[in-house]
Amino acid sequence: MATGDEVVDATGSSRTDPLSARLLVATYEKYLALLCSAGLPRTARRAVIVCDEIQLVGDLHRGRDVEILLTLIRNAGCGQFIGLSAVLQRRDAEALAEWLNVSLVHQPQREKHLQYECWTPDRMLVARSEYAEAAPEERAVPGGVWPDAVAVLQHVLNDREAQKPVIVFCMRKADTYGLAQRFVGLRQARSRSTPEGQLPLAFDELPETAANVLLAKILRGGVAVHSADLTEAERAIVEGMLLQRRIDVVFATSTLAAGVHFPFGTAIFADWQRWDSARGARTPIEHGDFHNMAGRVGRMGYEHGLGRVIFMAGPDTLSIARTYLALDNLTPLEPRIDPDRFGQIALQLVSSQLCASRGEVETVIFGTFSGSREAARNRTGLAHWKSALSESIDDLVHEGLLAEANHGPLVATPFGKAVAQSGLLPETGVHMLRFLAEQAVALAMLLPSKASVGDVDRLALVLFATCLKSPEFRPLGGRSPTRFLPYPLAKRGLATAADFGGFVSARELAADSPPHNGAKLSLDWIHGEALRSLEDRLPDLSAGMLRDLFRDLAWCLHGMAAIAVAAADGRVLPAERPRALVEQPATLRALSKLPRMMRRFCARIAEGLPDDVLWLPQVPKANPTYRLTRSEILALRAEGLSTPERMMLGSADADSARCRVFAKAKPAAKVKANWLRDACRDWKGAIRRQACERQMRRAARCPQVDLVARFHAAVGDDFEEAFEEALQTVGIAFERLDDGKRTGAPDYLVRLSGSPPLVVELKSKLGANLVPYNSAVEVLSASEVHGYKDASCVTLCHPGVDPAVAPVIAECARLCVVESGDFAEALLRHCEGHLTQPELWQWLASPGQALVSDLFYSSVRSRSGYIEHSQT
């Protein structure tokens, strides 16, 4: 399963090469990202590809990515292609099928039909899906029922044959709360009692938010809300209760409008017009959106024989409302590829080696569905596209994302590859690179070290604000942003110029508060502040908005880290280096220190945790008997239990502290407290054993499969022997420096192709002991004494490194620590052909702790005859 959040297999493990899976379930955007990162798989022509909701090719926000993905699939060919949609006009379906070169299968009959009812003050207009071409039938409105969402809802529920549960669609999030509270108030007033019911136990483990405070009040009465204000965990609880038939009514925005399968019997539209900021007015929702929302009722697999859809209209809106009753009049498909984004598309195609020249890029873009439509309706064909594409490629070459010699082959530079594989806009990549080139030296001075605590908060604040001020969140040159900051961030300032320490002026803060407010809230989040407290900082700010902000920020910051790694790579020739970094050795040295800290910030944002307890979420992964919530981890920290050593203490005080934190745990606080104590004693060993099992399965066909187990199990001299054998097996050259004749020499000099040598020191510990700071940094002094003072150094830690080491070694500039399980994974990927030796070097030469999550899914690829197939 591949989504924007994670790529995992059926065991919950990260997948090395998801494109080789026999069954891959992915979002459109993630599948496109995988193809652009790894290239088209060799098995593409034998694959069956099913695209659900294929009308998304015309979606305003997602359509471009969907269309590029469909173009790649169409040109590469596949064994069988199936596109599904229930809301396409017949002529659009025919045009799409013709473009995709597939047969159109049209099924006009529904297994279950819908009845559409438009209520007005004096009459009701009714249409049935089985008679889509018939004129609406006029009926009388039920007596005493005013056409208002809550009044209609009460009338529907009073019917003995009420088709429940009922979904009430709202165009504004605020209306979901207002209407829900109004309905619950009326219901309680009539019954004169508070409905009883048991809330899900999962609520006990969730942090308090404004949304779940309301949910706790209304769920007992069988009423819920569902909108983007809810966190993912809160949505999961509501959706689970819907499936269990424990909810009669849910007030929802379009978050429940598509791609979900719930047992709704009736849908009521509280409104069907939403605010259009571009027009400055409320406009009717598109027909496709309306019918997608209506399609949530009368689903297959549930008992309702007829789905019921109710919406209201007044005298001034009736003529528009009637158009929704023309059930065969669906929204026309709008092509979404236009010259504004040619730069990003061209960069993706060249970076992934799917195209290698201007002509090949042109072939792909002009062969899109949008290209065919544009050529058909424009007298000059695609001449204006040709000039716009040429200009976009010129810009990419000028900014150093692509390299081209005399209009010959196009090649993505390391900087360009980093931008393309991260999914960032090219202009965002340029924005970030210019910032890093100007500020890298000053930023590196904020890093912590053994001698100084640095100023990590200021570093985080500056990096966060830079991401949130990027073109991803800002309109640029008439182009709409791809991401949006929560609108409440503009209501007042939360940060001061002093917080940014000269990186941002007071004038800029006053004139541009949203990105700086977003950065300040994100900093407070990683410090451990509660969501409920953050919601209260600004009017109308919700937990759902905050979680979306954090997710977008982490994604953007991860892209910045990739750009920094590529830009700081000393192996890149000056001619391939962006102009801002040519002949800037001090900037490159400073820049090399930043990526691992950026990625650590990403992990902290994902968990919402301070640095010293960032290791704790790994413990349940090693021993999944219990889970640890964010609030529990923060409570443990408040009790002084923030290190593995303190967490393993068996003293009475430590036991009491753990029991206080787990006071609500089932079956007893003592049981969970003891679990945590014991799990922490072996968490690194357990993670290593799990990694060994996964790697053994993948290495089953290798002639030396036992080497994986020996590498993970060995210690001392045996570990050195297993290390040497592993390098020999995968073809990596090395030299043993510590031959017993040179006192204090480092262990090895490892030579990876196309890269300077690495000095490697092995540190293994018995049992649950972890490699401490002093042992981790010994290789630096040893390398200087023995003539390698400028070489990048690696300490290979077995079974693991103390969590306190990673934050303070980035400042060392030439030291990387890597745990044995992660190193074994990297070697296995190299053996499988998914990681080159130059890429392995880059992973090990970046200062900080090398993690598997820093590696790309698949980097070794061929062009697979893509263009040749598309042209024939």
Side-chain angles (χ1 to χ4, degrees), residues 254-271:
S254 56
T255 56
L256 273 177
V260 293
H261 189 61
F262 293 112
F264 294 120
T266 305
I268 298 174
F269 284 78
D271 195 0

Side-chain angles (χ1 to χ4, degrees), residues 84 233 277 384 646:
L84 304 172
S277 57
H384 60 301
R646 294 192 62 81

Side-chain angles (χ1 to χ4, degrees), residues 430-553:
V430 173
H431 161 86
M432 290 178 169
L433 183 68
R434 288 174 180 169
F435 165 78
L436 292 171
E438 294 172 1
Q439 301 293 348
V441 174
L443 292 172
M445 294 175 65
L446 301 177
L447 288 167
S449 66
K450 189 65 175 177
S452 168
V453 296
D455 196 341
V456 175
D457 285 355
R458 182 164 294 166
L459 176 62
L461 203 58
V462 173
L463 293 175
F464 293 175
T466 301
C467 288
L468 299 179
K469 287 189 284 189
S470 74
E472 300 294 332
F473 301 92
R474 300 289 182 87
L476 183 67
R479 304 170 187 168
S480 299
T482 64
R483 313 267 166 157
F484 298 91
L485 295 175
Y487 72 89
L489 296 183
K491 296 199 171 183
R492 64 168 178 263
L494 299 177
T496 67
D499 295 330
F500 288 89
F503 287 92
V504 178
S505 68
R507 178 175 297 179
E508 185 180 356
L509 281 176
D512 191 18
S513 62
H516 302 100
N517 283 346
K520 183 64 169 66
L521 290 167
S522 301
L523 178 64
D524 293 339
W525 166 250
I526 66 175
H527 272 257
E529 189 156 341
L531 273 174
R532 191 73 178 91
S533 174
L534 295 177
E535 284 182 310
D536 291 339
R537 295 286 189 84
L538 292 168
D540 302 323
L541 191 62
S542 71
M545 292 178 185
L546 287 166
R547 295 309 297 257
D548 287 344
L549 169 69
F550 301 150
R551 187 181 297 109
D552 286 345
L553 173 59

Side-chain angles (χ1 to χ4, degrees), residues 724-790:
E724 292 181 8
E725 189 175 355
L727 294 188
Q728 290 170 346
T729 300
V730 299
I732 294 176
F734 67 91
E735 174 187 346
R736 189 177 182 100
L737 298 178
D738 185 8
D739 55 5
K741 299 177 182 179
R742 291 179 283 185
T743 303
D747 289 334
Y748 296 95
L749 196 67
V750 175
R751 303 181 187 278
L752 294 161
S753 62
S755 308
L758 295 170
V759 177
V760 179
E761 182 79 9
L762 273 56
K763 295 291 184 182
S764 63
K765 296 289 183 178
L766 294 173
N769 295 317
L770 302 176
V771 177
Y773 175 85
N774 289 336
S775 297
V777 300
E778 281 179 3
V779 66
L780 291 173
S781 57
S783 68
E784 291 177 3
V785 170
H786 291 274
Y788 300 101
K789 64 183 181 68
D790 295 324

